[in-house]
Amino acid sequence: MENKYHKFNACIEQDIAIEAKDDMPDAYRKTLIRQIGQHGHSEVIGMLPEGNWITRAPTLKRKAVLLAKVQDEAGHGLYLYSAAETLGADRDDMMEKLIAGKMKYSSIFNYPTLTWADVAAIGWLVDGAAIVNQVALCRTSYGPYARAMVRICKEESFHQRQGFEAMMALAQGSEHQKQMAQDAVNRFWWPALMMFGPSDDHSPNSAQSMAWKIKRFSNDELRQKFVDNTVPQVLQLGLTVPDPDLQWNESTGHYSFGEINWDEFMAVIQGQGPCNHERIEARRKAWQDGQWVREAAAVYAQKQAVAQSKVA
Ligand code: 3HC
């Protein structure tokens, strides 16, 4: 029997995008629903720490920019849930799994935003890390995911730039503002490195995801790229990187850096981070409070379909 996935394998081999209607191994479909669904959850939960500061932004301009960014993240979540649905995923099911702790979201969003500088750090460092990861995903083998990434990356660039600009304003401000900026870097630097996932030798999904070209680079390769990109930015701000082992290596053209606290990473992704409970409770409440809206929209859509079928 001809290999059922001969066409799929040939497309992967030749960098031809896999589309929703193509034959694909169940495991390919399953791992994409896992990754895309969790990516969508990350975007939506990512709205919570920043949304916490919309009413407390220091100026009208910062409030308007933050509103636009948080609104963008909601849209990113919708693109990604729609991409997951092209694989047969059910949105309600993904939401129930998130709330039941059976689907993940990015570890970074389990840290609190204690000061305005944290909001700047999230835009600059977190979206900066997301860009490194998502630019690579623009070439992921699943077509709908890659296309969603192209659109999302355009908006992420604005997110990263506004975060850096807000950080620059603090770093060039009063001594207290500069200290607030340094404090934010101290608390968000290492969690930003954890966003790229476990080290390659502890990443159970990477080998297969690389073979299927879902991933184009490994977790450690993207993490290294982020560090190399971002350390010069920290120095440009006149701030310091909270890593005594950080060192530029002329011979490799990369920064070497200290060991990540993998116990902290594992605790956070297993639900024991500083804000995990608060984040999931917020999503549970929003999901429950929105039940009537979803039901009303479904009834309206059904009535529209009946009305159109009578006209047709
Ligand atoms: N947070 C939570 N869970 C994580 C994680 C993190 N930072 N890194 C890894 N994990 C989980 C994985 O999901 C996997 O668990 P699972 O099998 O139950 O899903 C486990 O740890 C082992 O990790 P692997 O490296 O084997 O898993 P992957 O091959 O899926 O790689 C990943 C992890 C690099 C995060 C990959 O899933 C990915 O690239 N995802 C898409 C990008 C994404 O989700 N980014 C999140 C940030 S979105 C964002 O920042 C929004 C911005 O606008 C602010």
Side-chain angles (χ1 to χ4, degrees):
M1 181 183 82
E2 193 209 358
N3 173 352
K4 185 179 174 195
Y5 300 121
H6 172 72
K7 180 171 179 281
F8 169 84
N9 294 329
C11 286
I12 296 290
E13 177 72 27
Q14 296 160 37
D15 284 335
I16 296 168
I18 305 297
E19 297 298 338
K21 294 194 176 6
D22 292 342
D23 272 337
M24 63 183 83
D26 287 345
Y28 177 81
R29 183 188 303 277
K30 192 163 169 268
T31 204
L32 277 170
I33 289 173
R34 172 189 66 83
Q35 177 167 329
I36 299 171
Q38 293 180 159
H39 197 163
H41 291 331
S42 304
E43 300 280 2
V44 173
I45 288 190
M47 295 162 70
L48 295 170
E50 293 175 309
N52 185 22
W53 278 85
I54 288 173
T55 56
R56 297 184 283 169
T59 66
L60 188 56
K61 172 195 157 194
R62 296 290 180 203
K63 183 198 284 273
V65 169
L66 183 56
L67 271 170
K69 177 180 189 307
V70 171
Q71 189 176 316
D72 280 351
E73 308 299 8
H76 297 175
L78 295 182
Y79 298 148
L80 288 159
Y81 289 142
S82 300
E85 285 173 324
T86 67
L87 289 157
D90 172 81
R91 201 172 296 206
D92 289 13
D93 177 56
M94 288 190 284
M95 205 55 68
E96 304 296 348
K97 283 194 173 108
L98 169 73
I99 291 167
K102 294 183 183 141
M103 280 189 87
K104 297 182 169 72
Y105 57 93
S106 188
S107 48
I108 188 72
F109 298 122
N110 289 307
Y111 292 84
T113 44
L114 304 176
T115 72
W116 171 252
D118 291 3
V119 178
I122 285 179
W124 166 44
L125 293 177
V126 173
D127 287 60
I131 287 173
V132 171
N133 170 287
Q134 292 170 168
V135 164
L137 284 169
C138 290
R139 293 177 50 238
T140 191
S141 56
Y142 186 56
Y145 194 21
R147 291 189 290 272
M149 283 297 106
V150 172
R151 169 70 185 270
I152 287 176
C153 283
K154 287 189 171 79
E155 293 174 342
E156 294 292 15
S157 305
F158 147 68
H159 298 173
Q160 195 263 1
R161 295 307 303 158
Q162 65 81 33
F164 183 77
E165 195 268 333
M167 214 56 178
M168 181 66 87
L170 293 169
Q172 292 179 342
S174 67
E175 198 39 47
H176 175 69
Q177 286 173 324
K178 184 167 183 180
Q179 185 44 51
M180 189 164 66
Q182 183 62 60
D183 173 53
V185 172
N186 294 346
R187 284 184 288 105
F188 276 89
W189 177 260
W190 290 101
L193 268 56
M194 294 175 197
M195 284 176 68
F196 294 93
S199 55
D200 293 349
D201 50 351
H202 288 82
S203 168
N205 297 299
S206 278
Q208 184 59 71
S209 288
M210 298 280 279
W212 278 330
K213 299 183 182 175
I214 292 171
K215 276 186 172 179
R216 292 290 187 160
F217 300 95
S218 75
N219 295 359
D220 287 335
E221 284 172 329
L222 292 179
R223 192 178 354 257
Q224 181 66 62
K225 189 175 175 63
F226 172 72
V227 171
D228 291 344
N229 287 355
T230 313
V231 169
Q233 294 170 21
V234 178
L235 303 179
Q236 190 187 339
L237 288 168
L239 301 176
T240 56
V241 176
D243 177 0
D245 297 321
L246 185 78
Q247 191 176 351
W248 174 252
N249 298 297
E250 202 54 51
S251 57
T252 62
H254 294 295
Y255 283 95
S256 51
F257 50 93
E259 182 63 13
I260 289 172
N261 182 340
W262 295 114
D263 291 341
E264 177 183 331
F265 171 74
M266 289 311 293
V268 172
I269 73 169
Q270 286 165 359
Q272 286 97 44
C275 298
N276 293 60
H277 177 73
E278 178 187 332
R279 302 291 185 233
I280 291 298
E281 279 316 299
R283 286 308 297 136
R284 183 197 311 278
K285 183 175 183 321
W287 187 244
Q288 283 164 353
D289 291 355
Q291 176 78 24
W292 70 271
V293 176
R294 294 192 297 276
E295 285 168 0
V299 168
Y300 177 76
Q302 200 176 16
K303 280 188 175 167
Q304 287 295 91
V306 168
Q308 277 159 15
S309 67
K310 283 180 183 154
V311 168

